[in-house]
Amino acid sequence: MEIAYIPSPSRGVYELFGVIPLRGYAFCIIIGVFVAVWLGNKRWIARGGRPGTVADVAVWAVPFGLVGGRLYHVITDYQLYFSEGQDWVDAFKIWEGGLGIWGAIAFGAVGAWIGCRSRGIPLPAWADALAPGIALAQAIGRWGNWFNQELYGRETDLPWALHITSSTDGRVPGYYHPTFLYESLWCIGVAVLVIWADRRFRLGHGRAFALYVAAYCAGRFWIEAMRVDEAHHFLGMRLNEWTSIVVFLLAVLYIVLSARRRPGREEVVEPGASDGDTDDDGAAVKLDKKSEDEDSENKDSEDKKSDAETSEAKKPQDESETAEAVSDSGSSEPETDDSSSSAEAKDEEAESAKKV
């Protein structure tokens, strides 16, 4: 008896006006990218960077990541495209699903390095700001597998079982573990963990990104073991399980060594960005320093010119005042002599009167 289950979409492609195909898988990827850039931008500004820098670097990282993710999928599952009876052209149909996160991160890092180098900013700091956003982008992107009815786990009768209805590409309709949902929820938890740890321990120099990688690999390992889709095996485990183990160990090793060599967080993540130049929302505002300097220079030049003109105008006036002062000084001397002569005459008259 069916109690509850997660229904699958009847189709993964919807026609807009009967002409334009809208694919659920593509929409999930696009929405995930926007969320990652939005959150990464807020975190970058909080670390002292300029708004827009994360998006500028993402212009390089996203295309590289998509190409890398597709290449990893095609190489590790080459039998789906190059074996007998398969059409190799399908390897380019990215909208039908099939992106390997390992290739996406590796190639995306190359694109991000190019973008960071062009902006003169450190790649580890940019990766730290973007880390939880990448986890959320994966959480959203996994719902694209739901639209395509792919990457599910073993059969189950749990109330949250995924109901697969498609029988194409070897699928068998039935009720299976919704591994896409498990991974989506795990990635949300990874994003929360990275944000908390970054605030609590002030992770820097790429350690927040390494924590995201390690935490994701831990979840991917047990989720991968549940999947039933075709995959290569090595020593009894799926290839992606081994990849999860190796990448997890490398991420943990990086955290330990980085903490010893460069403890703390970067003081400056973007040269030239000012922490004090913020708008009402707390976002850093990029000031046009060159324009301000030019205005200041023009003002100083005008002030000097005005002072020179004022000085020239005062010069004749000062000379006139000096001449008048000299003239007044000369005319005052005779007045002093006349007054002294009159006083002497009066004294002589007084002496004569006394004698009489």
Side-chain angles (χ1 to χ4, degrees):
M1 179 179 177
E2 296 178 1
I3 300 177
Y5 61 86
I6 301 173
S8 292
S10 58
R11 54 181 177 169
V13 183
Y14 300 87
E15 301 290 338
L16 182 63
F17 306 118
V19 179
I20 304 174
L22 302 178
R23 304 180 183 278
Y25 186 87
F27 263 108
C28 292
I29 297 296
I30 293 171
I31 294 172
V33 169
F34 273 103
V35 170
V37 172
W38 169 78
L39 181 58
N41 184 65
K42 291 179 68 68
R43 287 171 52 80
W44 182 253
I45 292 172
R47 286 175 176 246
R50 290 191 178 98
T53 298
V54 168
D56 291 342
V57 177
V59 169
W60 288 93
V62 172
F64 272 75
L66 291 175
V67 172
R70 188 60 176 178
L71 280 176
Y72 181 88
H73 167 72
V74 172
I75 292 173
T76 56
D77 292 310
Y78 64 88
Q79 71 280 356
L80 300 177
Y81 308 100
F82 302 104
S83 61
E84 186 177 355
Q86 302 295 333
D87 187 359
W88 63 272
V89 178
D90 292 341
F92 298 96
K93 297 179 180 179
I94 191 173
W95 55 86
E96 294 184 353
L99 288 175
I101 186 60
W102 318 112
I105 294 297
F107 274 64
V110 174
W113 176 79
I114 296 174
C116 288
R117 188 176 179 83
S118 66
R119 293 298 297 262
I121 60 177
L123 175 61
W126 185 87
D128 282 342
L130 204 67
I134 296 176
L136 290 179
Q138 288 179 255
I140 297 171
R142 273 306 177 198
W143 284 86
N145 302 131
W146 176 66
F147 279 100
N148 289 349
Q149 295 196 35
E150 60 184 0
L151 304 186
Y152 45 85
R154 298 185 297 269
E155 286 189 284
T156 181
D157 57 358
L158 292 171
W160 57 82
L162 175 65
H163 187 198
I164 296 297
T165 59
S166 174
S167 58
T168 59
D169 297 331
R171 297 184 183 92
V172 178
Y175 300 89
Y176 301 89
H177 277 286
T179 53
F180 83 91
L181 178 60
Y182 299 160
E183 187 166 338
S184 180
L185 294 176
W186 183 269
C187 287
I188 293 175
V190 170
V192 174
L193 171 66
V194 173
I195 292 174
W196 171 82
D198 193 26
R199 291 177 177 177
R200 175 67 176 80
F201 303 105
R202 292 185 56 81
L203 301 177
H205 303 285
R207 289 189 288 277
F209 182 81
L211 176 62
Y212 143 72
V213 172
Y216 171 75
C217 289
R220 180 62 183 267
F221 177 80
W222 67 266
I223 294 172
E224 185 72 23
M226 299 177 65
R227 284 168 49 169
V228 295
D229 53 297
E230 188 176 355
H232 296 284
H233 288 73
F234 180 71
L235 296 179
M237 290 197 304
R238 294 164 65 95
L239 175 61
N240 283 332
E241 289 182 87
W242 285 108
T243 306
S244 297
I245 294 174
V246 173
V247 176
F248 172 83
L249 294 176
L250 291 176
V252 172
L253 180 63
Y254 178 87
I255 293 174
V256 174
L257 295 180
S258 177
R260 290 179 178 177
R261 295 181 59 186
R262 293 181 293 179
R265 182 183 291 176
E266 300 91 342
E267 294 295 331
V268 178
V269 297
E270 186 168 5
S274 174
D275 294 337
D277 300 332
T278 58
D279 59 13
D280 295 337
D281 296 329
V285 178
K286 184 178 180 180
L287 299 177
D288 190 351
K289 298 296 184 183
K290 183 177 180 181
S291 177
E292 288 185 355
D293 293 342
E294 290 178 353
D295 292 342
S296 178
E297 291 176 0
N298 291 337
K299 186 176 180 181
D300 292 342
S301 178
E302 291 176 359
D303 291 343
K304 290 179 181 179
K305 185 177 180 181
S306 177
D307 292 343
E309 291 176 353
T310 303
S311 177
E312 290 295 330
K314 281 185 174 182
K315 196 172 182 180
Q317 184 177 356
D318 293 341
E319 291 176 355
S320 176
E321 291 176 354
T322 303
E324 290 178 0
V326 172
S327 176
D328 292 342
S329 175
S331 61
S332 64
E333 291 177 359
E335 291 179 0
T336 305
D337 294 341
D338 293 342
S339 60
S340 61
S341 300
S342 176
E344 291 177 357
K346 288 181 181 180
D347 292 340
E348 290 177 358
E349 290 178 359
E351 291 290 334
S352 299
K354 287 180 180 180
K355 290 179 181 182
V356 174

